[in-house]
């Protein structure tokens, strides 16, 4: 029996490919009859998410297809009031951020699925029913039934699976709309993110400009709640940014941003991911990136559960970990939206005060919130974590000829201490034991701050489950205990 994935978007397809990497067959059900290659939609892919996509087989392709940017500049009226730069140099496999349109990411994922025998993708399969029992899940579509040991619901903001489960999707919607346009034009400056507060060509509101491949720029205008294309002079609006340059409109859309989440992301054998579980404003690029992190978290847990290696708490830990991540992302993006779209006199006064002070006072610039950029969530408080919880630093492993984050299994890193699996269960769970007491692998020793006679348990999603110091009696019992805890026992 396979795993049924509902939704053939980037989150659903990534989940299917990561499950295939674990040897798990999947059936992906997509409601649309075919894939529409229209509009940029989500564009900003974070470095650690590119690592996840690389395990799914497309990370390098996504990076190569996009535009790398290393500088973000923020303006208030005619003043530059903030600048952030990212250092591309280092041992990382990918740059900090790459702008690749979601449509391109989806195309690359679908091509990868076409070459993966363990994944079957069905278009035109709109879900109409869902049944659960002790052995699995049955998903009904207009064409028939699909049976799976588990179901991954990645069917977006209007999720049918969420509705079938009777889950609430509480939160708020913001009154102001955002006009989003993909425009092919030469703006006369290099690839960088620009954010404008209260520019003269959109007074009282803001504009975000992002580079895309092929000379296309993504421009987001905040517009009033009553905005409508029928009353809009789009050329005049665009000309205020592009001047006399020739331009071509590639795509236009209008959104009203929302902040919502389900009360729980696991119901029996159904796991909700991406926009089916949580939606948030895009400022900070936390939507798609968090959805793909959801897929990364659930894939290895479902795989262990199917193999009979998981403890009773492993599947439910998906809700604990990714629910906490959703809460954090909603908190951060909620703060951003309160700064961008103040709802009270106090919020409005705070925004004006910060921006005015930032023109001359550098200390005020840290209070400007145009979107706190996505970073991996740390599972410090997870019941699976003995110590650590953060994402393990990546490095090329000379002895394995691969990078650590490419492995996708439980790994035990040892630094001048000896550990080997003690029984059949440990041999089945641990994909590799990697001694770091070699000159070539000191990168990880230094990055983790390891001392001699220490061991690190790293999960398949790259997060540290435990950092352990070998006691006089040996490290075996400590690693075994950490592995049991990290797998839900």
């Amino acid at each position: 029996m396979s795993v049924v994935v509902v939704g053939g978007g980037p989150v659903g397809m990534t989940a299917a490919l990561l499950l295939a990497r674990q040897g798990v067959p999947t059936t992906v059900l997509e409601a649309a009859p075919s894939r529409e290659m229209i509009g940029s939609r989500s564009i900003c892919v974070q470095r650690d998410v590119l690592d996840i996509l690389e395990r799914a087989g497309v990370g390098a392709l996504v990076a190569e297809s996009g535009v790398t940017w290393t500088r973000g500049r923020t303006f208030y009226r005619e003043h530059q009031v903030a600048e952030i730069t990212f250092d591309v140099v280092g041992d990382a496999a990918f740059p900090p951020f790459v702008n690749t349109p979601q449509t391109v990411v989806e195309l690359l994922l679908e091509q990868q699925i076409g070459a993966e025998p363990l994944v079957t993708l069905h278009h035109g399969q709109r879900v109409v029913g869902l049944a659960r029992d002790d052995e699995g899940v049955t998903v009904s579509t207009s064409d028939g039934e699909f049976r799976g040991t588990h179901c991954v619901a990645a069917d977006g903001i209007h999720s049918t699976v969420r509705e079938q489960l009777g889950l609430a999707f509480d939160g708020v919607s913001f009154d102001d709309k955002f006009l989003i346009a993909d425009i092919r034009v030469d703006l006369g400056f290099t690839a960088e993110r620009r954010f404008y507060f209260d520019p003269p060509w959109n007074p009282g509101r803001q504009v975000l400009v992002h580079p895309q491949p092929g000379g296309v720029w993504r421009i987001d205008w905040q517009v009033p709640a009553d905005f409508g294309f029928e009353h809009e002079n789009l050329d005049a609006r665009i000309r205020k940014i592009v001047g006399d340059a020739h331009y071509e409109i590639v795509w236009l859309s209008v959104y009203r941003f929302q902040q919502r989440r389900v009360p729980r992301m696991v119901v029996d054998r159904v796991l909700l991911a991406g926009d089916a579980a949580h939606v948030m404003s895009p400022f900070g690029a936390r939507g798609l990136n968090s959805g793909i992190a959801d897929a990364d978290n659930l894939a290895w847990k479902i795989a262990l559960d199917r193999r009979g290696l998981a403890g009773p708490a492993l599947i439910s830990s998906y809700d604990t970990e990714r629910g906490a991540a959703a809460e954090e992302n909603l908190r951060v993006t909620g703060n951003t939206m309160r700064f961008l779209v103040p709802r009270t006199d106090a919020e409005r006064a705070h925004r004006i005060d910060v921006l005015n002070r930032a023109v001359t006072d550098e200390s005020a610039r840290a209070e400007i919130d145009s979107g706190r950029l996505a970073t991996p969530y740390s599972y410090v408080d997870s019941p699976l974590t003995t110590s650590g919880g953060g994402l393990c630093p990546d490095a090329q492993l000379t002895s394995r000829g691969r990078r650590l984050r490419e492995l996708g299994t439980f790994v035990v890193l040892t630094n001048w201490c000896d550990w080997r699996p003690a029984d059949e269960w440990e041999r089945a769970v641990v994909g590799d034991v990697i001694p770091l007491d070699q000159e070539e692998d000191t990168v990880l020793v230094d990055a983790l701050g390891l001392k001699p006679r220490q061991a690190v348990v790293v999960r398949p999603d790259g997060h540290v489950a435990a950092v352990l110091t070998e006691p006089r009696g040996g490290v075996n019992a400590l690693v075994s205990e950490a592995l049991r805890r990290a797998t839900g026992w």
Side-chain angles (χ1 to χ4, degrees):
M1 211 168 18
S2 69
V3 171
V4 179
V5 177
V6 180
V11 175
M13 288 191 288
T14 299
L17 288 166
L18 292 174
L19 283 163
R21 177 75 183 271
Q22 299 281 349
V24 176
T26 62
T27 301
V28 182
L29 306 177
E30 168 55 40
S34 61
R35 192 163 305 283
E36 293 187 356
M37 296 293 293
I38 300 174
S40 56
R41 291 180 280 167
S42 178
I43 62 170
C44 196
V45 187
Q46 196 258 345
R47 172 166 45 207
D48 301 296
V49 172
L50 287 167
D51 284 329
I52 299 172
L53 290 172
E54 182 65 3
R55 285 204 301 280
V58 300
L61 295 173
V62 170
E64 292 166 7
S65 300
V67 172
T68 298
W69 57 279
T70 58
R71 181 167 71 163
R73 302 170 69 190
T74 302
F75 299 84
Y76 173 48
R77 296 177 180 166
E78 69 274 21
H79 309 283
Q80 179 174 321
V81 292
E83 181 171 334
I84 184 172
T85 57
F86 299 101
D87 186 4
V88 179
V89 180
D91 194 51
F94 297 107
F97 285 95
V98 171
N99 282 7
T100 306
Q102 181 177 326
T103 47
V104 175
V105 175
E106 290 181 0
L107 180 62
L108 293 170
L109 285 165
E110 187 161 345
Q111 288 177 343
Q112 185 69 17
I113 280 177
E116 175 49 70
L118 287 177
V119 182
T120 305
L121 173 61
H122 299 276
H123 282 281
Q125 297 291 332
R126 185 172 297 278
V127 172
V128 296
L130 182 78
R132 295 168 284 130
D133 56 50
D134 292 340
E135 302 300 321
V137 181
T138 302
V139 179
S140 301
T141 72
S142 53
D143 287 352
E145 292 184 346
F146 297 85
R147 180 76 173 162
T149 59
H150 302 75
C151 172
V152 177
D155 49 342
I157 189 171
H158 303 295
S159 171
T160 302
V161 174
R162 187 181 64 233
E163 182 181 335
Q164 290 284 324
L165 293 171
L167 293 174
F169 204 41
D170 295 333
V172 297
S173 298
F174 292 88
D175 293 335
D176 272 24
K177 297 177 181 177
F178 284 82
L179 166 63
I180 298 176
D182 293 342
I183 298 175
R184 184 172 286 110
V185 64
D186 182 1
L187 290 181
F189 55 84
T190 57
E192 62 183 33
R193 173 189 185 264
R194 290 193 174 188
F195 198 103
Y196 298 89
F197 284 101
D198 196 16
W201 25 272
N202 199 36
R205 291 184 167 85
Q206 45 263 333
V207 176
L208 174 63
V209 180
H210 252 299
Q212 296 190 70
V216 176
W217 291 84
R218 158 78 171 262
I219 304 177
D220 296 23
W221 289 270
Q222 183 188 353
V223 293
D226 60 357
F227 173 88
F229 285 115
E230 64 276 13
H231 305 300
E232 176 71 11
N233 185 339
L234 279 176
D235 180 69
R237 180 181 287 276
I238 293 169
R239 287 287 174 203
K240 290 175 181 177
I241 297 178
V242 307
D244 296 330
H246 173 74
Y247 73 87
E248 174 192 353
I249 297 175
V250 180
W251 178 66
L252 286 172
S253 188
V254 177
Y255 287 95
R256 178 175 279 122
F257 295 133
Q258 303 181 58
Q259 300 274 108
R260 300 182 183 278
R261 67 154 295 187
V262 290
R264 51 186 174 138
M265 294 174 64
V266 177
V267 179
D268 298 330
R269 292 170 176 259
V270 181
L271 295 82
L272 292 90
D275 285 355
H278 46 73
V279 293
M280 58 205 68
S281 85
F283 299 102
R286 292 171 180 265
L288 175 65
N289 288 294
S290 66
I292 291 177
D294 290 345
D296 194 27
N297 190 286
L298 64 83
W300 66 270
K301 294 177 178 178
I302 290 175
L304 285 182
D305 195 49
R306 283 171 56 97
R307 293 170 62 194
L309 300 173
L314 188 61
I315 292 296
S316 63
S317 75
Y318 170 70
D319 173 61
T320 305
E321 293 186 338
R322 295 310 301 166
E327 281 294 325
E328 173 67 6
N329 286 323
L330 285 166
R331 182 191 66 79
V332 171
T333 54
N335 289 340
T336 297
M337 290 304 289
R338 280 186 287 276
F339 194 86
L340 299 185
V341 191
R343 290 185 157 192
T344 67
D345 290 341
E347 289 176 356
R348 193 170 297 105
H350 171 69
R351 167 194 161 109
I352 293 171
D353 172 64
V354 168
L355 291 172
N356 282 327
R357 284 190 291 114
V359 174
T360 56
D361 182 1
E362 290 190 12
S363 65
R365 295 175 182 177
E367 300 178 54
I368 298 173
D369 192 346
S370 61
R372 309 300 186 195
L373 290 168
T375 56
Y377 186 76
S378 180
Y379 304 127
V380 173
D381 298 323
S382 168
L384 306 187
T385 301
T386 299
S387 56
L391 196 60
C392 186
D394 195 20
Q396 184 72 26
L397 299 168
T398 306
S399 59
R400 301 301 186 269
R402 304 177 71 184
R403 301 187 70 84
L404 176 64
R405 291 191 197 163
E406 291 181 283
L407 299 179
T409 63
F410 267 99
V411 174
V412 177
L413 307 173
T414 62
N415 187 41
W416 298 103
C417 68
D418 186 38
W419 181 83
R420 291 293 180 272
D423 55 33
E424 184 177 345
W425 180 86
E426 289 184 359
R427 283 188 288 274
V429 169
V430 178
D432 210 344
V433 182
I434 301 174
L436 298 180
D437 42 276
Q438 304 174 29
E439 185 177 352
E440 297 92 337
D441 291 328
T442 58
V443 171
L444 278 174
V445 173
D446 294 341
L448 289 163
L450 294 184
K451 299 176 181 178
R453 308 186 73 80
Q454 285 192 314
V456 182
V457 178
V458 183
R459 306 176 352 168
D461 56 10
H463 284 262
V464 174
V467 179
L468 307 165
T469 300
E470 182 178 13
R472 182 168 298 178
V475 77
N476 286 1
L478 292 179
V479 173
S480 297
E481 183 180 344
L483 283 170
R484 299 284 289 185
R485 181 171 183 173
T487 51
W489 291 98

